[in-house]
Amino acid sequence: MKNFLVKTIANAGALGVAIWLLKDITLTGENTGRKVLTLILVALVFGVVNVVVKPIVKVLAFPLFILTLGLITLVINALMLLLTSWLAGKLDLSFHVDGFGTAVLGGLIVAIVAWALHVVLPDDDD
């Protein structure tokens, strides 16, 4: 449970940095509290997408991993961010990623920031 909470906080922080750095990734709300709640809910959706969908896509794209020496990971991360944006729209969460290029940059930012936060934040393995 603690690990799930830490990962959700890390995802929320990483998504927040991507929203802050890229103008085409938007999160709207009436006030700061509503934005924070929406960001946490989007982080939960992003976590579910990464746990359920991403492993399936990675297995199906295994030959592309070999051909591109792993660079296909950037495309897969972008697709997971776009899927999160689509699901957020279906769940009436005000989070939107505008375009594939923005999703690639956003996916790269989210991956780097989430990795850094996972290094800093405590984990069950410690």
Side-chain angles (χ1 to χ4, degrees):
M1 182 66 179
K2 181 179 174 186
N3 193 25
F4 173 75
L5 185 62
V6 168
K7 287 183 187 255
T8 301
I9 292 170
N11 280 339
L15 287 167
V17 170
I19 291 165
W20 178 60
L21 289 175
L22 300 173
K23 67 177 179 71
D24 289 335
I25 299 178
T26 57
L27 177 79
T28 56
E30 303 90 47
N31 54 37
T32 305
R34 181 73 175 164
K35 286 181 182 179
V36 169
L37 178 63
T38 302
L39 183 60
I40 291 170
L41 292 173
V42 169
L44 287 170
V45 170
F46 187 66
V48 169
V49 165
N50 281 329
V51 167
V52 175
V53 178
K54 193 173 185 178
I56 296 168
V57 172
K58 280 184 157 184
V59 167
L60 294 175
F62 183 72
L64 293 175
F65 275 98
I66 295 169
L67 279 174
T68 64
L69 302 175
L71 289 176
I72 193 71
T73 304
L74 293 172
V75 174
I76 291 172
N77 287 344
L79 293 173
M80 296 305 108
L81 197 56
L82 285 171
L83 180 59
T84 301
S85 174
W86 180 77
L87 286 172
K90 295 295 181 188
L91 295 171
D92 202 27
L93 298 171
S94 54
F95 173 77
H96 182 68
V97 178
D98 189 27
F100 183 75
T102 302
V104 170
L105 286 174
L108 183 61
I109 291 168
V110 167
I112 292 169
V113 173
W115 170 79
L117 288 174
H118 285 297
V119 168
V120 174
L121 291 172
D123 199 1
D124 282 343
D125 297 335
D126 293 341

